[in-house]
Amino acid sequence: MQYKLECIGLLTSGGDAPGMNAAIRAVTRTAIYNGIRVKAIYRGYKGLISDEIVDFQTQNVSNIIQQGGTILKTARCPEFRTPEGRKIAYDNILKHNIDALVVIGGDGTFTGARIFAQEYNIPIVGIPGTIDNDLYGTDSTIGYDTALNTIIEAVDKIRDTASSHERLFFIEVMGRDAGFLALNSAIASGAEAAIIPERETKVDQLEELIGHGFRKSKNSSIVIVAESDVTGGANGLAERMRKEHPEYDVRVTILGHIQRGGSPTAYDRIIASRMGTAAIDALLDEQRNIMIGIVNNEIVHVPFTKAIKDDKPVDESLLGVLQILSI
Ligand code: F6P
């Protein structure tokens, strides 16, 4: 082995996602199983800079696999974007004798990790934890499946009242710039349409929706809208609809942060456990600056540059499925 691996630092950063705790548990226990000490870093890169770093034993991660959120806390950290901030972070890594880092998060987390690893030659392995599912090189990110299930549970409830009042509902879901949550929750909840940012350049989705006479044979409708300036969000679309089609009784629901909470699904717990173990295996195998992914049920290693730069495409054929199934 070229570098010593006696101690790892572990943090969660960016938006929390259900299943992050299962990943923390897996990383901690796999490291200790292999004789590696674990330093838990609280509040992501912010805690790395402010030295919120403590020793973790196996019992620190007991009874957390079922909990949403992250026991390590999380934060977005503008200071880590500066060379001065990263210098302080590195000094703390030296102070605590940390040989490598495991970071759990999304796009922003890995962007920071890539720069830090290059500047200070420190091995870093990433685990994809975000409800957005927008990282290239993994079929699913930790938290995405739970968020999807949370959304469809909420949509099922909205459908009851939509149907009773014969209303058209625009329901806004998260996803940052990606339409995975919107598209797949629309299919899973039997919605009439999904408005996603990826589709914008091709057609005006609202016009397409109306053009297909989506409400002719139904007394109520659900449209799932991905949050984004591109889609105009649920409020923007509802406003337009009210102006152009006053005959519809339109309502808006923005699901918001409810999508980020809750006990992780079995699927998220399993992928988090597998990815956490794979992260330590990768470090033992002298891998660095990679994200752990799962593709076709196999563990894969994806360079940070690919995971964050290559746009992960949504399967647009699913829009066709949605359209057929909503006639
Ligand atoms: O990246 C996860 C996410 O929940 C996005 O879907 C959303 O746009 C964003 O985080 C919200 O961030 P915050 O909790 O900081 O408002």
Side-chain angles (χ1 to χ4, degrees):
M1 178 168 283
Q2 283 173 346
Y3 61 91
K4 79 175 165 57
L5 188 61
E6 292 170 4
C7 176
I8 59 144
L10 172 62
L11 60 82
T12 50
S13 163
D16 62 351
M20 278 185 164
N21 282 327
I24 292 167
R25 172 180 178 269
V27 170
T28 302
R29 294 207 165 153
T30 309
I32 291 171
Y33 175 84
N34 284 286
I36 301 166
R37 282 179 294 114
V38 177
K39 297 270 184 185
I41 302 160
Y42 282 86
R43 297 180 180 79
Y45 295 126
K46 196 163 170 245
L48 191 55
I49 292 172
S50 56
D51 195 6
E52 295 182 73
I53 303 174
V54 301
D55 285 312
F56 251 27
Q57 313 297 339
T58 58
Q59 57 270 30
N60 289 103
V61 294
S62 293
N63 200 18
I64 65 167
I65 195 167
Q66 78 284 13
Q67 289 175 26
T70 160
I71 61 160
L72 293 183
K73 314 290 179 198
T74 184
R76 305 198 194 272
C77 180
E79 210 186 337
F80 196 68
R81 295 209 188 106
T82 67
E84 296 77 20
R86 292 193 294 274
K87 167 80 175 69
I88 301 170
Y90 186 63
D91 288 345
N92 283 327
I93 281 189
L94 294 179
K95 177 176 157 191
H96 289 275
N97 292 313
I98 293 171
D99 302 312
L101 279 180
V102 176
V103 298
I104 305 171
D107 198 71
T109 306
F110 299 157
T111 303
R114 190 185 62 81
I115 297 167
F116 193 49
Q118 264 174 3
E119 263 173 4
Y120 291 103
N121 194 27
I122 172 154
I124 308 185
V125 169
I127 297 177
T130 164
I131 64 163
D132 300 337
N133 198 30
D134 58 349
L135 289 163
Y136 179 86
T138 188
D139 288 343
S140 184
T141 54
I142 296 166
Y144 171 63
D145 184 62
T146 307
L148 261 185
N149 280 285
T150 302
I151 294 169
I152 62 165
E153 211 183 308
V155 175
D156 288 350
K157 288 180 177 153
I158 293 168
R159 186 181 285 288
D160 290 343
T161 176
S163 153
S164 304
H165 284 265
E166 303 187 272
R167 283 174 169 159
L168 162 59
F169 266 83
F170 287 99
I171 303 176
E172 184 174 302
V173 300
M174 284 185 167
R176 206 175 288 274
D177 299 316
F180 294 98
L181 282 172
L183 187 49
N184 285 299
S185 66
I187 289 185
S189 62
E192 272 60 47
I195 311 282
I196 58 170
E198 290 86 345
R199 181 74 171 203
E200 192 253 355
T201 46
K202 293 189 188 144
V203 279
D204 179 328
Q205 298 170 75
L206 197 58
E207 276 313 314
E208 190 189 47
L209 182 67
I210 295 158
H212 280 99
F214 74 105
R215 212 186 168 208
K216 277 184 192 142
S217 58
K218 298 181 182 175
N219 69 353
S220 69
S221 287
I222 303 277
V223 176
I224 309 286
V225 186
E227 61 166 3
S228 150
D229 290 343
V230 180
T231 61
N235 275 321
L237 287 168
E239 210 170 296
R240 224 187 102 189
M241 195 66 162
R242 284 189 189 111
K243 252 190 229 141
E244 293 173 18
H245 295 273
E247 68 275 20
Y248 294 148
D249 190 7
V250 176
R251 290 291 185 277
V252 169
T253 303
I254 296 174
L255 291 183
H257 286 79
I258 195 170
Q259 297 163 90
R260 287 238 297 262
S263 181
T265 58
Y267 182 78
D268 276 333
R269 297 181 198 196
I270 292 165
I271 64 167
S273 301
R274 289 181 66 193
M275 288 175 175
T277 296
I280 297 298
D281 287 347
L283 284 172
L284 286 166
D285 200 26
E286 300 187 26
Q287 302 281 333
R288 48 165 66 203
N289 309 336
I290 49 147
M291 178 193 85
I292 303 294
I294 296 182
V295 175
N296 295 331
N297 208 28
E298 298 282 340
I299 292 284
V300 293
H301 296 166
V302 190
F304 280 144
T305 40
K306 268 190 105 57
I308 55 189
K309 276 222 187 89
D310 282 19
D311 273 342
K312 180 173 173 179
V314 292
D315 180 356
E316 286 197 38
S317 70
L318 292 179
L319 284 167
V321 172
L322 191 58
Q323 196 177 312
I324 292 168
L325 300 185
S326 66
I327 54 172

